[in-house]
Amino acid sequence: MVNLTRIYTKTGDDGTTSLGDMSRTSKNDPRLEAYATVDEANSTIGVVLSTDGLTEDVRALLIRIQNDLFDVGADLCTPVVDAPAFEPLRVLESQITYLEERIDHYNANLESLRSFVLPSGTASAAHLHVARTVVRRAERCTWAAIHAFGGGVNPLTAKYLNRCSDLLFVLARFANKEIGDQLWVPGANR
């Protein structure tokens, strides 16, 4: 369990930070970029939760995702090694499967798409679209870390983020269900 007794430590003032295994690395490390962007994504979901108009089941789902995103960050900041001294927290396939089930559940009640969706609509939907794009960026950062460190980063973290972004897209459409999606009209202003 995390025990935060001090908020500032000054240990990062030299441009380095501790990873989950207590090793030090540069603040430019791709793993740090990945889990910092996951943290940003989590904060954007917090903004979504501050809006009105979410159903209680969507609100509970978003809180569950926020918790999972902390798991993703913990996984990303702890290098994958053989025989670790302590069993690290890792993202599991079951977390990804759960997101897929939720995507299917919410998407089943939506109209089929005929074009790309413009990120707009209700405040909840618009913020969900922002969260979706930040999660997608976190996924790209995670892939950069995976490519930089090979087997030292759990690829399920990227897979989770990919599905999370898909789910946020579907939830944005669900939040707009009453008013409908604004669709892209290719070349409309030529």
Side-chain angles (χ1 to χ4, degrees):
M1 186 53 77
V2 177
N3 183 20
L4 300 174
T5 56
R6 287 187 358 198
I7 301 305
Y8 65 91
T9 62
K10 300 182 183 180
T11 58
D13 291 350
D14 65 352
T16 66
T17 192
S18 292
L19 292 173
D21 64 357
M22 302 314 292
S23 63
R24 302 289 296 175
T25 191
S26 166
K27 289 192 177 185
N28 294 320
D29 187 310
R31 295 169 295 190
L32 175 63
E33 182 67 27
Y35 68 78
T37 309
V38 168
D39 185 37
E40 181 184 353
N42 205 338
S43 295
T44 64
I45 292 172
V47 172
V48 173
L49 286 164
S50 74
T51 64
D52 294 328
L54 295 174
T55 62
E56 285 308 309
D57 58 317
V58 169
R59 188 172 296 284
L61 175 57
L62 291 173
I63 291 169
R64 179 178 175 146
I65 290 169
Q66 283 191 302
N67 196 78
D68 279 355
L69 288 174
F70 267 95
D71 290 354
V72 172
D75 192 333
L76 288 168
C77 84
T78 307
V80 174
V81 297
D82 292 329
F86 300 97
E87 188 64 32
L89 182 61
R90 297 287 179 218
V91 171
L92 303 175
E93 189 70 43
S94 60
Q95 290 170 288
I96 297 161
T97 300
Y98 179 79
L99 294 181
E100 291 170 348
E101 291 167 354
R102 297 292 81 205
I103 291 167
D104 293 342
H105 170 77
Y106 287 101
N107 198 47
N109 297 315
L110 299 174
E111 290 183 31
S112 298
L113 282 175
R114 301 173 317 280
S115 185
F116 290 102
V117 174
L118 298 181
S120 61
T122 66
S124 296
H127 286 301
L128 281 159
H129 279 296
V130 172
R132 168 186 61 80
T133 62
V134 177
V135 170
R136 197 61 87 183
R137 181 162 36 92
E139 179 196 356
R140 291 190 306 272
C141 292
T142 298
W143 278 114
I146 290 168
H147 289 248
F149 292 95
V153 177
N154 179 7
L156 290 179
T157 55
K159 189 174 177 182
Y160 180 92
L161 293 168
N162 182 282
R163 293 310 181 285
C164 183
S165 157
D166 292 340
L167 177 56
L168 293 171
F169 173 76
V170 169
L171 291 177
R173 293 195 65 220
F174 183 77
N176 277 340
K177 189 174 179 183
E178 295 298 317
I179 65 171
D181 293 310
Q182 184 70 46
L183 300 179
W184 173 48
V185 179
N189 300 312
R190 289 182 171 189

